Amino acid sequence: MSGTTVRLGAKGSKLAHKGRPWFYADDLADRLPETPGLARVLDDKGRDLGLGVVSPHSRLALRLAGGWPGDAVPAPEEFFDSRLAAALARRSHLLGPAEGSRIVHGEADALPGLVVDRYADVVVVQVGSAGLEPFTAELVAALDAKLAPRMVLARHDTAVRRLEKLPEEIRLLSGRRVEEVEIEEGGLRHPVRPWTGHKTGFYLDQRPARAFVGRHARGRRVLDVFSYQGGFALSALHGGAASALAIDQSADALAAAAAAAERNGLVGLETCGDNAFTKLRDLRRAGEQFDLVVVDPPAFAKNRRELQGALRGYRDLNRLALRLLGPGGLLVTCSCSHHMSPVRFEETLRHAAAELPFRTLLRARIGAGEDHPVWLALPESEYLKVLVAERGD
Ligand code: SAH
């Protein structure tokens, strides 16, 4: 057998067989290897559990990384080649030349902590585990070989890198610096700024919700709250909305939304650079009503301790939004907080709807797109919740 082998202890093995994919140093039978990298993982009886990624200085010391034939540890080139091929095959219908899609979604693609997003011919990576960091060059070579992108950029400005004791940086990994790239989605062109935009440049995960809004927008007065660059507002106008008001506290984001509307030949976009809570109360006081309201705030609960406060925040915000709906109006409401379970979020919406002078119907549950698969062993990776509520009678 070649390569590193790590063996789980009795307790760790039991958990592994119940489906747990992450382990601490004391779940192992032996000492953790001192160098980060790939390892073969065995249970306490010597049975194979496939590959694992070892991060010696992280609390998540060992993360399972899928099966691999034989009993050896592959070279990183071979590992990335095979894992990327599978990840791309899973998304082959989303890889049109001008499309944007996530092509690696961490554990679900058996590449722990790794995110890769493709925006037309630009690729952005986020390495989020110390165990894969030493092989960044091999990863980039595999991406270059498979996709021949104009640029591979590291958006390593993520908090998770701190937990892994990795440097936070934004760095060109390959190709030439590309400031902005345009992607096409549902007949619309969206600008993506990989170096400075949120996340890796765009909210790829909201594709299904944007499509829903596009399909339900015809003739409606639309309010896009926490709009960023107006992804929802633009989809609504493209779908025939009568008007769209985008609210965001970032003037830059709203300027990008206005530019994108013009680029797409859309009229009817209004922007408002205000605090969302203040503006919603002002609209309510002015007696304004909308037929479709989208609420897509940043995560209110960044950790478990913040959950109680966050629940109140989501409830109050959703109550405000529901009160702005005209008869038959739709609310598309989102939470991207990992610490808020889908059940909890639905309960919060129920609390928001209680005591309103109309019934509220749950019309649809939408999550992240299928390019963000959820490994069932890691239910918390289903981080994006999107519910559609209707103002009934
Ligand atoms: N709906 C967007 C993504 C929203 S991200 C899309 O689909 O692309 C969250 C946005 O909320 C950010 O653009 C941020 O600037 C904005 N934001 C955060 N707090 C805010 C507040 N209190 N009032 C208004 N905007 C806020």
PDB file of all heavy atoms in Angstrom, residues 212-213 215-218 220-223 290-295 321-322 324-333 360-364 387-392:
ATOM      1  N   PHE A 212     -37.896  31.523 -11.039  1.00  0.00           N
ATOM      2  CA  PHE A 212     -39.267  31.570 -10.511  1.00  0.00           C
ATOM      3  C   PHE A 212     -39.810  32.994 -10.614  1.00  0.00           C
ATOM      4  O   PHE A 212     -40.931  33.216 -11.092  1.00  0.00           O
ATOM      5  CB  PHE A 212     -39.282  31.105  -9.045  1.00  0.00           C
ATOM      6  CG  PHE A 212     -40.660  31.091  -8.432  1.00  0.00           C
ATOM      7  CD1 PHE A 212     -41.419  29.927  -8.396  1.00  0.00           C
ATOM      8  CD2 PHE A 212     -41.224  32.261  -7.919  1.00  0.00           C
ATOM      9  CE1 PHE A 212     -42.697  29.928  -7.862  1.00  0.00           C
ATOM     10  CE2 PHE A 212     -42.503  32.272  -7.381  1.00  0.00           C
ATOM     11  CZ  PHE A 212     -43.243  31.108  -7.348  1.00  0.00           C
ATOM     12  N   VAL A 213     -39.006  33.944 -10.189  1.00  0.00           N
ATOM     13  CA  VAL A 213     -39.438  35.351 -10.227  1.00  0.00           C
ATOM     14  C   VAL A 213     -39.723  35.771 -11.673  1.00  0.00           C
ATOM     15  O   VAL A 213     -40.740  36.417 -11.955  1.00  0.00           O
ATOM     16  CB  VAL A 213     -38.364  36.255  -9.557  1.00  0.00           C
ATOM     17  CG1 VAL A 213     -38.562  37.714  -9.906  1.00  0.00           C
ATOM     18  CG2 VAL A 213     -38.400  36.045  -8.047  1.00  0.00           C
ATOM     19  N   ARG A 215     -40.726  33.936 -14.082  1.00  0.00           N
ATOM     20  CA  ARG A 215     -41.962  33.292 -14.559  1.00  0.00           C
ATOM     21  C   ARG A 215     -43.221  33.912 -13.964  1.00  0.00           C
ATOM     22  O   ARG A 215     -44.292  33.812 -14.546  1.00  0.00           O
ATOM     23  CB  ARG A 215     -41.961  31.796 -14.187  1.00  0.00           C
ATOM     24  CG  ARG A 215     -41.121  30.915 -15.069  1.00  0.00           C
ATOM     25  CD  ARG A 215     -41.509  29.443 -14.902  1.00  0.00           C
ATOM     26  NE  ARG A 215     -41.446  28.975 -13.532  1.00  0.00           N
ATOM     27  CZ  ARG A 215     -40.328  28.565 -12.928  1.00  0.00           C
ATOM     28  NH1 ARG A 215     -39.179  28.590 -13.576  1.00  0.00           N
ATOM     29  NH2 ARG A 215     -40.354  28.144 -11.680  1.00  0.00           N
ATOM     30  N   HIS A 216     -43.103  34.531 -12.782  1.00  0.00           N
ATOM     31  CA  HIS A 216     -44.288  35.040 -12.092  1.00  0.00           C
ATOM     32  C   HIS A 216     -44.390  36.560 -12.111  1.00  0.00           C
ATOM     33  O   HIS A 216     -45.201  37.121 -11.377  1.00  0.00           O
ATOM     34  CB  HIS A 216     -44.321  34.526 -10.647  1.00  0.00           C
ATOM     35  CG  HIS A 216     -44.600  33.068 -10.557  1.00  0.00           C
ATOM     36  ND1 HIS A 216     -43.634  32.113 -10.755  1.00  0.00           N
ATOM     37  CD2 HIS A 216     -45.746  32.389 -10.326  1.00  0.00           C
ATOM     38  CE1 HIS A 216     -44.168  30.911 -10.640  1.00  0.00           C
ATOM     39  NE2 HIS A 216     -45.454  31.053 -10.381  1.00  0.00           N
ATOM     40  N   ALA A 217     -43.584  37.200 -12.927  1.00  0.00           N
ATOM     41  CA  ALA A 217     -43.476  38.662 -12.811  1.00  0.00           C
ATOM     42  C   ALA A 217     -44.465  39.443 -13.682  1.00  0.00           C
ATOM     43  O   ALA A 217     -44.720  40.622 -13.418  1.00  0.00           O
ATOM     44  CB  ALA A 217     -42.052  39.073 -13.173  1.00  0.00           C
ATOM     45  N   ARG A 218     -45.003  38.797 -14.688  1.00  0.00           N
ATOM     46  CA  ARG A 218     -45.751  39.550 -15.696  1.00  0.00           C
ATOM     47  C   ARG A 218     -46.783  40.509 -15.086  1.00  0.00           C
ATOM     48  O   ARG A 218     -47.626  40.109 -14.299  1.00  0.00           O
ATOM     49  CB  ARG A 218     -46.447  38.601 -16.677  1.00  0.00           C
ATOM     50  CG  ARG A 218     -47.134  39.324 -17.837  1.00  0.00           C
ATOM     51  CD  ARG A 218     -47.211  38.511 -19.102  1.00  0.00           C
ATOM     52  NE  ARG A 218     -45.895  38.101 -19.583  1.00  0.00           N
ATOM     53  CZ  ARG A 218     -45.046  38.878 -20.266  1.00  0.00           C
ATOM     54  NH1 ARG A 218     -45.374  40.120 -20.547  1.00  0.00           N
ATOM     55  NH2 ARG A 218     -43.880  38.420 -20.658  1.00  0.00           N
ATOM     56  N   ARG A 220     -46.590  42.607 -12.842  1.00  0.00           N
ATOM     57  CA  ARG A 220     -46.554  42.896 -11.395  1.00  0.00           C
ATOM     58  C   ARG A 220     -45.630  44.068 -11.048  1.00  0.00           C
ATOM     59  O   ARG A 220     -44.630  44.310 -11.705  1.00  0.00           O
ATOM     60  CB  ARG A 220     -46.069  41.662 -10.621  1.00  0.00           C
ATOM     61  CG  ARG A 220     -47.038  40.496 -10.697  1.00  0.00           C
ATOM     62  CD  ARG A 220     -46.645  39.436  -9.684  1.00  0.00           C
ATOM     63  NE  ARG A 220     -47.337  38.190  -9.920  1.00  0.00           N
ATOM     64  CZ  ARG A 220     -48.179  37.622  -9.050  1.00  0.00           C
ATOM     65  NH1 ARG A 220     -48.459  38.209  -7.908  1.00  0.00           N
ATOM     66  NH2 ARG A 220     -48.755  36.475  -9.324  1.00  0.00           N
ATOM     67  N   ARG A 221     -45.991  44.722  -9.937  1.00  0.00           N
ATOM     68  CA  ARG A 221     -45.100  45.726  -9.334  1.00  0.00           C
ATOM     69  C   ARG A 221     -44.194  44.962  -8.369  1.00  0.00           C
ATOM     70  O   ARG A 221     -44.679  44.320  -7.431  1.00  0.00           O
ATOM     71  CB  ARG A 221     -45.919  46.770  -8.563  1.00  0.00           C
ATOM     72  CG  ARG A 221     -46.724  47.720  -9.445  1.00  0.00           C
ATOM     73  CD  ARG A 221     -47.829  48.366  -8.632  1.00  0.00           C
ATOM     74  NE  ARG A 221     -48.696  47.314  -8.060  1.00  0.00           N
ATOM     75  CZ  ARG A 221     -49.644  47.533  -7.165  1.00  0.00           C
ATOM     76  NH1 ARG A 221     -49.864  48.747  -6.717  1.00  0.00           N
ATOM     77  NH2 ARG A 221     -50.391  46.530  -6.692  1.00  0.00           N
ATOM     78  N   VAL A 222     -42.892  45.041  -8.616  1.00  0.00           N
ATOM     79  CA  VAL A 222     -41.948  44.173  -7.904  1.00  0.00           C
ATOM     80  C   VAL A 222     -41.051  44.989  -6.973  1.00  0.00           C
ATOM     81  O   VAL A 222     -40.607  46.087  -7.330  1.00  0.00           O
ATOM     82  CB  VAL A 222     -41.084  43.384  -8.926  1.00  0.00           C
ATOM     83  CG1 VAL A 222     -39.997  42.572  -8.223  1.00  0.00           C
ATOM     84  CG2 VAL A 222     -41.986  42.479  -9.772  1.00  0.00           C
ATOM     85  N   LEU A 223     -40.815  44.444  -5.794  1.00  0.00           N
ATOM     86  CA  LEU A 223     -39.890  45.045  -4.834  1.00  0.00           C
ATOM     87  C   LEU A 223     -38.784  44.033  -4.561  1.00  0.00           C
ATOM     88  O   LEU A 223     -39.058  42.900  -4.170  1.00  0.00           O
ATOM     89  CB  LEU A 223     -40.652  45.363  -3.537  1.00  0.00           C
ATOM     90  CG  LEU A 223     -39.849  45.971  -2.386  1.00  0.00           C
ATOM     91  CD1 LEU A 223     -39.265  47.323  -2.772  1.00  0.00           C
ATOM     92  CD2 LEU A 223     -40.744  46.119  -1.150  1.00  0.00           C
ATOM     93  N   PHE A 290     -47.139  46.123  -3.219  1.00  0.00           N
ATOM     94  CA  PHE A 290     -46.433  45.449  -4.316  1.00  0.00           C
ATOM     95  C   PHE A 290     -47.078  44.096  -4.578  1.00  0.00           C
ATOM     96  O   PHE A 290     -47.724  43.523  -3.702  1.00  0.00           O
ATOM     97  CB  PHE A 290     -44.954  45.280  -3.962  1.00  0.00           C
ATOM     98  CG  PHE A 290     -44.240  46.594  -3.781  1.00  0.00           C
ATOM     99  CD1 PHE A 290     -44.253  47.235  -2.553  1.00  0.00           C
ATOM    100  CD2 PHE A 290     -43.603  47.209  -4.847  1.00  0.00           C
ATOM    101  CE1 PHE A 290     -43.623  48.463  -2.374  1.00  0.00           C
ATOM    102  CE2 PHE A 290     -42.975  48.431  -4.693  1.00  0.00           C
ATOM    103  CZ  PHE A 290     -42.984  49.070  -3.454  1.00  0.00           C
ATOM    104  N   ASP A 291     -46.867  43.593  -5.809  1.00  0.00           N
ATOM    105  CA  ASP A 291     -47.461  42.298  -6.171  1.00  0.00           C
ATOM    106  C   ASP A 291     -46.465  41.154  -6.028  1.00  0.00           C
ATOM    107  O   ASP A 291     -46.851  39.986  -6.063  1.00  0.00           O
ATOM    108  CB  ASP A 291     -47.947  42.331  -7.630  1.00  0.00           C
ATOM    109  CG  ASP A 291     -48.786  43.558  -7.892  1.00  0.00           C
ATOM    110  OD1 ASP A 291     -49.789  43.747  -7.181  1.00  0.00           O
ATOM    111  OD2 ASP A 291     -48.424  44.355  -8.789  1.00  0.00           O
ATOM    112  N   LEU A 292     -45.192  41.519  -5.930  1.00  0.00           N
ATOM    113  CA  LEU A 292     -44.145  40.503  -5.783  1.00  0.00           C
ATOM    114  C   LEU A 292     -43.003  41.141  -5.010  1.00  0.00           C
ATOM    115  O   LEU A 292     -42.441  42.153  -5.449  1.00  0.00           O
ATOM    116  CB  LEU A 292     -43.676  40.035  -7.172  1.00  0.00           C
ATOM    117  CG  LEU A 292     -42.525  39.047  -7.280  1.00  0.00           C
ATOM    118  CD1 LEU A 292     -42.763  37.789  -6.466  1.00  0.00           C
ATOM    119  CD2 LEU A 292     -42.305  38.659  -8.732  1.00  0.00           C
ATOM    120  N   VAL A 293     -42.710  40.580  -3.850  1.00  0.00           N
ATOM    121  CA  VAL A 293     -41.627  41.115  -3.020  1.00  0.00           C
ATOM    122  C   VAL A 293     -40.586  40.019  -2.829  1.00  0.00           C
ATOM    123  O   VAL A 293     -40.926  38.882  -2.482  1.00  0.00           O
ATOM    124  CB  VAL A 293     -42.164  41.579  -1.644  1.00  0.00           C
ATOM    125  CG1 VAL A 293     -41.008  42.055  -0.753  1.00  0.00           C
ATOM    126  CG2 VAL A 293     -43.198  42.684  -1.805  1.00  0.00           C
ATOM    127  N   VAL A 294     -39.320  40.362  -3.080  1.00  0.00           N
ATOM    128  CA  VAL A 294     -38.219  39.422  -2.832  1.00  0.00           C
ATOM    129  C   VAL A 294     -37.404  39.958  -1.662  1.00  0.00           C
ATOM    130  O   VAL A 294     -37.051  41.134  -1.646  1.00  0.00           O
ATOM    131  CB  VAL A 294     -37.298  39.285  -4.066  1.00  0.00           C
ATOM    132  CG1 VAL A 294     -36.179  38.281  -3.782  1.00  0.00           C
ATOM    133  CG2 VAL A 294     -38.092  38.876  -5.300  1.00  0.00           C
ATOM    134  N   VAL A 295     -37.148  39.098  -0.685  1.00  0.00           N
ATOM    135  CA  VAL A 295     -36.341  39.492   0.474  1.00  0.00           C
ATOM    136  C   VAL A 295     -35.178  38.513   0.587  1.00  0.00           C
ATOM    137  O   VAL A 295     -35.389  37.340   0.864  1.00  0.00           O
ATOM    138  CB  VAL A 295     -37.202  39.459   1.763  1.00  0.00           C
ATOM    139  CG1 VAL A 295     -36.332  39.768   2.971  1.00  0.00           C
ATOM    140  CG2 VAL A 295     -38.351  40.451   1.670  1.00  0.00           C
ATOM    141  N   ALA A 321     -42.500  42.640   5.164  1.00  0.00           N
ATOM    142  CA  ALA A 321     -42.631  42.368   3.719  1.00  0.00           C
ATOM    143  C   ALA A 321     -44.031  41.868   3.389  1.00  0.00           C
ATOM    144  O   ALA A 321     -44.627  42.296   2.391  1.00  0.00           O
ATOM    145  CB  ALA A 321     -41.587  41.336   3.307  1.00  0.00           C
ATOM    146  N   LEU A 322     -44.581  40.988   4.229  1.00  0.00           N
ATOM    147  CA  LEU A 322     -45.936  40.466   3.969  1.00  0.00           C
ATOM    148  C   LEU A 322     -46.966  41.599   3.996  1.00  0.00           C
ATOM    149  O   LEU A 322     -47.916  41.620   3.203  1.00  0.00           O
ATOM    150  CB  LEU A 322     -46.313  39.401   5.012  1.00  0.00           C
ATOM    151  CG  LEU A 322     -45.663  38.025   4.834  1.00  0.00           C
ATOM    152  CD1 LEU A 322     -45.818  37.181   6.099  1.00  0.00           C
ATOM    153  CD2 LEU A 322     -46.263  37.280   3.629  1.00  0.00           C
ATOM    154  N   LEU A 324     -46.629  44.481   2.987  1.00  0.00           N
ATOM    155  CA  LEU A 324     -46.541  45.318   1.776  1.00  0.00           C
ATOM    156  C   LEU A 324     -47.198  44.667   0.566  1.00  0.00           C
ATOM    157  O   LEU A 324     -47.262  45.256  -0.513  1.00  0.00           O
ATOM    158  CB  LEU A 324     -45.070  45.616   1.461  1.00  0.00           C
ATOM    159  CG  LEU A 324     -44.398  46.656   2.358  1.00  0.00           C
ATOM    160  CD1 LEU A 324     -42.889  46.685   2.110  1.00  0.00           C
ATOM    161  CD2 LEU A 324     -44.995  48.043   2.115  1.00  0.00           C
ATOM    162  N   LEU A 325     -47.648  43.412   0.726  1.00  0.00           N
ATOM    163  CA  LEU A 325     -48.243  42.709  -0.422  1.00  0.00           C
ATOM    164  C   LEU A 325     -49.659  43.195  -0.687  1.00  0.00           C
ATOM    165  O   LEU A 325     -50.471  43.314   0.232  1.00  0.00           O
ATOM    166  CB  LEU A 325     -48.292  41.196  -0.154  1.00  0.00           C
ATOM    167  CG  LEU A 325     -46.968  40.440  -0.110  1.00  0.00           C
ATOM    168  CD1 LEU A 325     -47.227  38.966   0.206  1.00  0.00           C
ATOM    169  CD2 LEU A 325     -46.222  40.578  -1.430  1.00  0.00           C
ATOM    170  N   GLY A 326     -49.951  43.426  -1.955  1.00  0.00           N
ATOM    171  CA  GLY A 326     -51.330  43.652  -2.348  1.00  0.00           C
ATOM    172  C   GLY A 326     -52.047  42.314  -2.415  1.00  0.00           C
ATOM    173  O   GLY A 326     -51.414  41.251  -2.293  1.00  0.00           O
ATOM    174  N   PRO A 327     -53.373  42.315  -2.607  1.00  0.00           N
ATOM    175  CA  PRO A 327     -54.128  41.054  -2.706  1.00  0.00           C
ATOM    176  C   PRO A 327     -53.519  40.131  -3.765  1.00  0.00           C
ATOM    177  O   PRO A 327     -53.188  40.573  -4.862  1.00  0.00           O
ATOM    178  CB  PRO A 327     -55.530  41.509  -3.119  1.00  0.00           C
ATOM    179  CG  PRO A 327     -55.611  42.945  -2.691  1.00  0.00           C
ATOM    180  CD  PRO A 327     -54.223  43.502  -2.779  1.00  0.00           C
ATOM    181  N   GLY A 328     -53.350  38.870  -3.409  1.00  0.00           N
ATOM    182  CA  GLY A 328     -52.775  37.903  -4.359  1.00  0.00           C
ATOM    183  C   GLY A 328     -51.273  38.040  -4.542  1.00  0.00           C
ATOM    184  O   GLY A 328     -50.678  37.317  -5.345  1.00  0.00           O
ATOM    185  N   GLY A 329     -50.659  38.958  -3.799  1.00  0.00           N
ATOM    186  CA  GLY A 329     -49.222  39.204  -3.965  1.00  0.00           C
ATOM    187  C   GLY A 329     -48.371  38.039  -3.478  1.00  0.00           C
ATOM    188  O   GLY A 329     -48.800  37.231  -2.643  1.00  0.00           O
ATOM    189  N   LEU A 330     -47.157  37.954  -4.010  1.00  0.00           N
ATOM    190  CA  LEU A 330     -46.230  36.871  -3.655  1.00  0.00           C
ATOM    191  C   LEU A 330     -45.018  37.432  -2.917  1.00  0.00           C
ATOM    192  O   LEU A 330     -44.495  38.481  -3.291  1.00  0.00           O
ATOM    193  CB  LEU A 330     -45.729  36.165  -4.922  1.00  0.00           C
ATOM    194  CG  LEU A 330     -46.728  35.376  -5.755  1.00  0.00           C
ATOM    195  CD1 LEU A 330     -46.045  34.856  -7.028  1.00  0.00           C
ATOM    196  CD2 LEU A 330     -47.299  34.204  -4.948  1.00  0.00           C
ATOM    197  N   LEU A 331     -44.598  36.690  -1.894  1.00  0.00           N
ATOM    198  CA  LEU A 331     -43.348  37.006  -1.205  1.00  0.00           C
ATOM    199  C   LEU A 331     -42.366  35.870  -1.458  1.00  0.00           C
ATOM    200  O   LEU A 331     -42.665  34.710  -1.175  1.00  0.00           O
ATOM    201  CB  LEU A 331     -43.595  37.142   0.307  1.00  0.00           C
ATOM    202  CG  LEU A 331     -42.331  37.200   1.181  1.00  0.00           C
ATOM    203  CD1 LEU A 331     -41.519  38.461   0.917  1.00  0.00           C
ATOM    204  CD2 LEU A 331     -42.693  37.114   2.665  1.00  0.00           C
ATOM    205  N   VAL A 332     -41.215  36.218  -2.001  1.00  0.00           N
ATOM    206  CA  VAL A 332     -40.133  35.237  -2.155  1.00  0.00           C
ATOM    207  C   VAL A 332     -39.117  35.567  -1.077  1.00  0.00           C
ATOM    208  O   VAL A 332     -38.467  36.615  -1.131  1.00  0.00           O
ATOM    209  CB  VAL A 332     -39.489  35.340  -3.558  1.00  0.00           C
ATOM    210  CG1 VAL A 332     -38.300  34.390  -3.682  1.00  0.00           C
ATOM    211  CG2 VAL A 332     -40.526  35.047  -4.642  1.00  0.00           C
ATOM    212  N   THR A 333     -39.005  34.707  -0.071  1.00  0.00           N
ATOM    213  CA  THR A 333     -38.168  35.054   1.077  1.00  0.00           C
ATOM    214  C   THR A 333     -37.041  34.046   1.270  1.00  0.00           C
ATOM    215  O   THR A 333     -37.253  32.841   1.129  1.00  0.00           O
ATOM    216  CB  THR A 333     -39.028  35.198   2.361  1.00  0.00           C
ATOM    217  OG1 THR A 333     -38.154  35.558   3.444  1.00  0.00           O
ATOM    218  CG2 THR A 333     -39.772  33.923   2.718  1.00  0.00           C
ATOM    219  N   THR A 360     -52.060  33.369   4.843  1.00  0.00           N
ATOM    220  CA  THR A 360     -50.845  33.302   4.028  1.00  0.00           C
ATOM    221  C   THR A 360     -50.657  31.861   3.569  1.00  0.00           C
ATOM    222  O   THR A 360     -50.742  30.930   4.366  1.00  0.00           O
ATOM    223  CB  THR A 360     -49.618  33.777   4.832  1.00  0.00           C
ATOM    224  OG1 THR A 360     -49.883  35.082   5.320  1.00  0.00           O
ATOM    225  CG2 THR A 360     -48.380  33.814   3.971  1.00  0.00           C
ATOM    226  N   LEU A 361     -50.439  31.685   2.278  1.00  0.00           N
ATOM    227  CA  LEU A 361     -50.272  30.343   1.714  1.00  0.00           C
ATOM    228  C   LEU A 361     -48.815  30.102   1.361  1.00  0.00           C
ATOM    229  O   LEU A 361     -48.155  31.014   0.860  1.00  0.00           O
ATOM    230  CB  LEU A 361     -51.098  30.207   0.431  1.00  0.00           C
ATOM    231  CG  LEU A 361     -52.545  30.713   0.466  1.00  0.00           C
ATOM    232  CD1 LEU A 361     -53.183  30.533  -0.907  1.00  0.00           C
ATOM    233  CD2 LEU A 361     -53.334  29.951   1.528  1.00  0.00           C
ATOM    234  N   LEU A 362     -48.343  28.901   1.615  1.00  0.00           N
ATOM    235  CA  LEU A 362     -47.001  28.542   1.159  1.00  0.00           C
ATOM    236  C   LEU A 362     -47.141  27.987  -0.253  1.00  0.00           C
ATOM    237  O   LEU A 362     -47.790  26.969  -0.468  1.00  0.00           O
ATOM    238  CB  LEU A 362     -46.399  27.501   2.101  1.00  0.00           C
ATOM    239  CG  LEU A 362     -44.957  27.109   1.807  1.00  0.00           C
ATOM    240  CD1 LEU A 362     -44.028  28.309   1.872  1.00  0.00           C
ATOM    241  CD2 LEU A 362     -44.495  26.044   2.804  1.00  0.00           C
ATOM    242  N   ARG A 363     -46.574  28.686  -1.220  1.00  0.00           N
ATOM    243  CA  ARG A 363     -46.762  28.308  -2.621  1.00  0.00           C
ATOM    244  C   ARG A 363     -45.638  27.432  -3.169  1.00  0.00           C
ATOM    245  O   ARG A 363     -45.864  26.623  -4.060  1.00  0.00           O
ATOM    246  CB  ARG A 363     -46.851  29.580  -3.476  1.00  0.00           C
ATOM    247  CG  ARG A 363     -48.203  30.246  -3.440  1.00  0.00           C
ATOM    248  CD  ARG A 363     -49.197  29.561  -4.376  1.00  0.00           C
ATOM    249  NE  ARG A 363     -48.767  29.564  -5.756  1.00  0.00           N
ATOM    250  CZ  ARG A 363     -49.031  30.521  -6.639  1.00  0.00           C
ATOM    251  NH1 ARG A 363     -49.740  31.567  -6.269  1.00  0.00           N
ATOM    252  NH2 ARG A 363     -48.596  30.448  -7.873  1.00  0.00           N
ATOM    253  N   ALA A 364     -44.422  27.631  -2.658  1.00  0.00           N
ATOM    254  CA  ALA A 364     -43.303  26.850  -3.200  1.00  0.00           C
ATOM    255  C   ALA A 364     -42.130  26.866  -2.237  1.00  0.00           C
ATOM    256  O   ALA A 364     -41.988  27.798  -1.444  1.00  0.00           O
ATOM    257  CB  ALA A 364     -42.865  27.417  -4.555  1.00  0.00           C
ATOM    258  N   LEU A 387     -38.479  30.403   0.321  1.00  0.00           N
ATOM    259  CA  LEU A 387     -39.896  30.048   0.396  1.00  0.00           C
ATOM    260  C   LEU A 387     -40.710  31.081  -0.362  1.00  0.00           C
ATOM    261  O   LEU A 387     -40.374  32.268  -0.371  1.00  0.00           O
ATOM    262  CB  LEU A 387     -40.353  30.020   1.859  1.00  0.00           C
ATOM    263  CG  LEU A 387     -39.650  29.013   2.761  1.00  0.00           C
ATOM    264  CD1 LEU A 387     -40.092  29.198   4.215  1.00  0.00           C
ATOM    265  CD2 LEU A 387     -39.946  27.579   2.311  1.00  0.00           C
ATOM    266  N   VAL A 388     -41.783  30.615  -0.979  1.00  0.00           N
ATOM    267  CA  VAL A 388     -42.684  31.534  -1.659  1.00  0.00           C
ATOM    268  C   VAL A 388     -44.032  31.506  -0.950  1.00  0.00           C
ATOM    269  O   VAL A 388     -44.656  30.456  -0.827  1.00  0.00           O
ATOM    270  CB  VAL A 388     -42.893  31.146  -3.142  1.00  0.00           C
ATOM    271  CG1 VAL A 388     -43.802  32.171  -3.823  1.00  0.00           C
ATOM    272  CG2 VAL A 388     -41.552  31.062  -3.866  1.00  0.00           C
ATOM    273  N   ALA A 389     -44.439  32.662  -0.456  1.00  0.00           N
ATOM    274  CA  ALA A 389     -45.713  32.775   0.244  1.00  0.00           C
ATOM    275  C   ALA A 389     -46.641  33.674  -0.570  1.00  0.00           C
ATOM    276  O   ALA A 389     -46.188  34.592  -1.259  1.00  0.00           O
ATOM    277  CB  ALA A 389     -45.500  33.374   1.621  1.00  0.00           C
ATOM    278  N   GLU A 390     -47.932  33.362  -0.481  1.00  0.00           N
ATOM    279  CA  GLU A 390     -48.914  34.193  -1.194  1.00  0.00           C
ATOM    280  C   GLU A 390     -49.882  34.820  -0.206  1.00  0.00           C
ATOM    281  O   GLU A 390     -50.319  34.161   0.744  1.00  0.00           O
ATOM    282  CB  GLU A 390     -49.690  33.314  -2.183  1.00  0.00           C
ATOM    283  CG  GLU A 390     -50.730  34.085  -2.978  1.00  0.00           C
ATOM    284  CD  GLU A 390     -51.664  33.162  -3.757  1.00  0.00           C
ATOM    285  OE1 GLU A 390     -51.174  32.252  -4.456  1.00  0.00           O
ATOM    286  OE2 GLU A 390     -52.893  33.348  -3.636  1.00  0.00           O
ATOM    287  N   ARG A 391     -50.213  36.058  -0.429  1.00  0.00           N
ATOM    288  CA  ARG A 391     -51.241  36.692   0.381  1.00  0.00           C
ATOM    289  C   ARG A 391     -52.600  36.162  -0.080  1.00  0.00           C
ATOM    290  O   ARG A 391     -53.040  36.412  -1.191  1.00  0.00           O
ATOM    291  CB  ARG A 391     -51.189  38.214   0.219  1.00  0.00           C
ATOM    292  CG  ARG A 391     -52.355  38.873   0.919  1.00  0.00           C
ATOM    293  CD  ARG A 391     -52.319  40.379   0.865  1.00  0.00           C
ATOM    294  NE  ARG A 391     -53.658  40.863   1.248  1.00  0.00           N
ATOM    295  CZ  ARG A 391     -53.956  42.117   1.484  1.00  0.00           C
ATOM    296  NH1 ARG A 391     -53.023  43.040   1.374  1.00  0.00           N
ATOM    297  NH2 ARG A 391     -55.177  42.457   1.811  1.00  0.00           N
ATOM    298  N   GLY A 392     -53.247  35.387   0.798  1.00  0.00           N
ATOM    299  CA  GLY A 392     -54.544  34.829   0.448  1.00  0.00           C
ATOM    300  C   GLY A 392     -55.670  35.736   0.939  1.00  0.00           C
ATOM    301  O   GLY A 392     -55.442  36.918   1.220  1.00  0.00           O
TER     302      GLY A 392
END
